[in-house]
Amino acid sequence: MMNRIFTLLLAFLIIRCAKDDQPTVAHIHKNWKFKQLEDTIWKSATVPGNVYSDLLDHKKIPDPFVGSNELNVQWASKKNWEYQTTFELAPKTLRKSNIELSFEGIDTYANIYLNDTLIGLTNNSFRTWKYDIKELAKRKNTLKLHFFPTKKLEIAESQKIDYNLPPDTRVFTRKAQFQFGWDWGPIINTSGIWKPIKITSWNNMKLDDVYFKQEKLTDSVASLSVQYTISSDTAVEEATLAIKFDNTTHKITTPAKKGTHTYTTNLEIKNPKRWWTYNLGEPYLYEFDITLKEGRHVKAQQKATIGLRTIKLITEKDSKGKTFYFELNGVPVFMKGANYIPQNSMQNKVTDAHYEKLLNDVVDANMNMLRVWGGGIYENDIFYDLCDEKGILVWQDFMFACAMYPGDNPFLKNVEKEAIDQVTRLRNHASIALWCGNNENNEGWKRWGWQADKTEAQKKEIWNSYLAVFDSILPKTVAKLNPEISYWESSPSYGRGNPKYEFEGDAHDWWVWHDAYPFEHFEKKVPRFMSEFGFQSFPSYEAIRYFTEKDSIDINHDSYTTHQKHPRGFQLIHDYMKRDYKVPKNGDDYVYVSQLLQAKGITMGVEAQRRAMPYCMGSLYWQLNDCWPVVSWSSIDFMGNWKALHYKTKKSFQDVLISSVVDNDTINTYIISDKLAPLTGDFSLDFIDFNGKKIHNVHQQVLIAPNTSQLIAKTPLNHIKANVNDYVMKSSFSSTSNSSSIKTFSPFYVAKPKDLKLPQQDVSTKITKTDHGFIIKVSATTLQKDVFLYTNTKGHFSDNFFDILPNETISITFITKAAAIDDLGIKTLNGIQ
């Protein structure tokens, strides 16, 4: 008993002696105010935020997302702005040997003053800016930032060279390029403190960074080298790093040198659990508790969440050209997903709930990869945290898009520091699958006419500047700081004008849309990896009502002068619609059919690309989301509503998909399986007319190989004793292989939608209240095509734009907080005249 008391007492004394001397952190987000430089009246400001959202909060500008207000707010980006706050520091903080002021993001050109002393000038919104303020800090402090218009500095930089860099002077400013305007986004060129500000104070030693570098991963062991960076004012005899995980503690004690240095320790995990995309396994994450001590003084405690996996981009020559596919944990994986853009032109309005919802929508639609597009932003930490947790891979562009950038030394050094900041920040995330240098810069230079007005010397200089960034600085940064992850110079590898685009690398296929090629082009020209292809549609009724401020759906409203950014957008939608659909005359029907049109084209591409695996190993359409309410290529609009495209790609991205295509008067039916084990089961094709009469049937037992596309049935059209305008083919597959049950079916029509002899619209519904919303049972005695349920009640339908086969009932869940649905509307293609 006495021994036990002594042991407990000793442990207590050791804990008491282990003094907590960790850094203190204070966020400087309160008491901010702003004004134009020449004004005398200050107004309250929100930090993090930007000048547009602050002006909007004070009703100094109209909502730029409504009507044509975008045109009336451009003055704000042409002004000088000041932001100021006062804050107090505790005596304890002031006694610390180090006090650091850091800004995670300043947009973009600013002078920073602390207590009337200039401490820094910023010129990159993607960098973290840190300042030693030990000598300036006092009990009461004033922090002021003076923001300059980007255009003024861009013009000054452009005058230093004797040529124009395409497309315009935005290339000189390191900030979100889409804010200068895009063919789906407004010109909202923000300025302000767009990310958190904090003051960190510490004595002598601080833990700056911990990187878990994966050296080896097998079923029996994971070998990690943990690289940790310490800043110390003096040389220290004993710096102890302890890493606790899975009831195991790894500890190393070494001397620490004066200054900032990186040290390495190695640890092993026996029988490691791997991180997988959610559709192939569990996205397992290890939690590491990290403690740094200087002697007995605790200098840092932090957590790291790490997924163990191997991810490689495989580009190897083959008989067709060159492969382009991702290998996850040694398994080639078909990538299914979309291109992601910032969720709001005013980033401070994007909440954690927005990230959670959107990434849940990604998983719900059976996607396993998102491409973070290079004209936006390096996303907030929560985006990557959620991708890690949910098992979504991220193709990460560096933030360069559709342009040629300068190559002077200050610009290159600025880019290098940006890359170091961002790669260091993101490299511990299991979701990061690829670092890509830019979006379409290479293609633009080679085939968009950018060289036409340049001398040979100018062209050489511009191309050398390109190589300095994308063939030197960025790949070297990735190789040094995140060597487990592949680097890709530019997306796409080749422009669509180069025949190689079909056989090598990744492709952006815009023959459909920009060149008005028919949707069938997607079935004839399948690349190795489709990283961009898309088609526009109108957004939801809710989004249209928001920016038109009208209750009725008006597709000719004046607001479309700003809310349709593509100069040929409406004409292209109309021309494509005439090819495949009856063109409605009223606005709400036209919006509905535009969404069906978009979904038809993109799912034709998705399924053609999936049928072609393993030749093609990726399908990322353009685009997932919007940054404001607009006519665009998105599958989820700005209000968070799923368009027809998102509902239909959910089906086209199923892990087990039945997909059919007509070739030489024969219906070829494939089963595509992403599963890593073989499947056996019943396969059937049922041909029925629109009243339910059976016309033809095929039934067979099939064995589906893992991770493949397999041609299952060839059905000559002349075997079907009916007109193609009068029937639907229902394909079904069910399997109970490997202790799991899989059932999938898909309706297929040979004829174009406009040629189908559909019966009249005749749909009945029964609505039942549940704890989370409503169950809506939808029934029909005849085939009802593309049934669209809609309501002004805010919520989400579990399925929509679906077909009801004759004498079928489908149960749809409507998730909402509302107590009732009083205005449920129904549209079908049957009812379009």
Side-chain angles (χ1 to χ4, degrees), residues 538-545 553 591 595 637 639 641 643:
F538 282 78
S540 65
Y541 296 156
E542 180 187 11
I544 293 171
R545 291 187 182 106
I553 302 303
V591 169
Q595 291 197 18
D637 72 16
M639 318 305 285
N641 297 307
K643 298 183 186 179

Side-chain angles (χ1 to χ4, degrees), residues 334 526-527 607-617 672 709:
F334 191 99
V526 178
E607 295 195 18
Q609 291 144 27
R610 292 194 69 191
R611 289 194 301 267
M613 72 180 295
Y615 176 83
C616 176
M617 286 297 288
I672 300 102
S709 169

Side-chain angles (χ1 to χ4, degrees), residues 680-692:
T680 57
D682 294 318
F683 168 77
S684 63
L685 299 177
D686 292 296
F687 295 80
I688 58 175
D689 70 17
F690 300 151
N691 292 306

